[in-house]
Amino acid sequence: MWAKIGETAGRVYHLLEEGEKNLSSLTKILRREGHNTNLVIMAIGWLAREDKINVIKDHGKWIIRLK
C-alpha cells in the first residue's frame, strides 16, 4: 500500500508543478488515471507531512499548492 500512496504522491506533486489545484480537480484528474479518491487523499497527506505542499481552504474549496 505504501508504494501506491508514494506513487500517487509523486503524480500529485508533478500535477502541482503546473500550478495550484483544488482538491476536486486533482481528484478528478487522478481518478481518470486509475487512482481512487482515498489514495489521492492519502497522497496529499503524505506530501503535507513531508512539508512539500500548502493546503488552504478558500471559499469552501481546498486549494493545494507546492511550497
Side-chain angles (χ1 to χ4, degrees), residues 3-16:
K4 288 182 183 182
I5 297 168
E7 177 187 320
T8 305
R11 184 65 184 119
V12 168
Y13 190 91
H14 290 298
L15 286 170
L16 294 175

Side-chain angles (χ1 to χ4, degrees), residues 1-50:
M1 186 58 141
W2 287 110
K4 288 182 183 182
I5 297 168
E7 177 187 320
T8 305
R11 184 65 184 119
V12 168
Y13 190 91
H14 290 298
L15 286 170
L16 294 175
E17 287 179 320
E18 300 169 5
E20 70 181 33
K21 307 256 187 300
N22 66 45
L23 180 59
S24 63
S25 67
L26 261 179
T27 303
K28 183 186 259 186
I29 292 166
L30 290 166
R31 284 183 53 117
R32 277 188 259 142
E33 295 178 3
H35 303 275
N36 71 43
T37 302
N38 290 331
L39 214 51
V40 174
I41 303 287
M42 287 185 270
I44 290 168
W46 177 308
L47 292 169
R49 178 70 176 109
E50 289 188 342

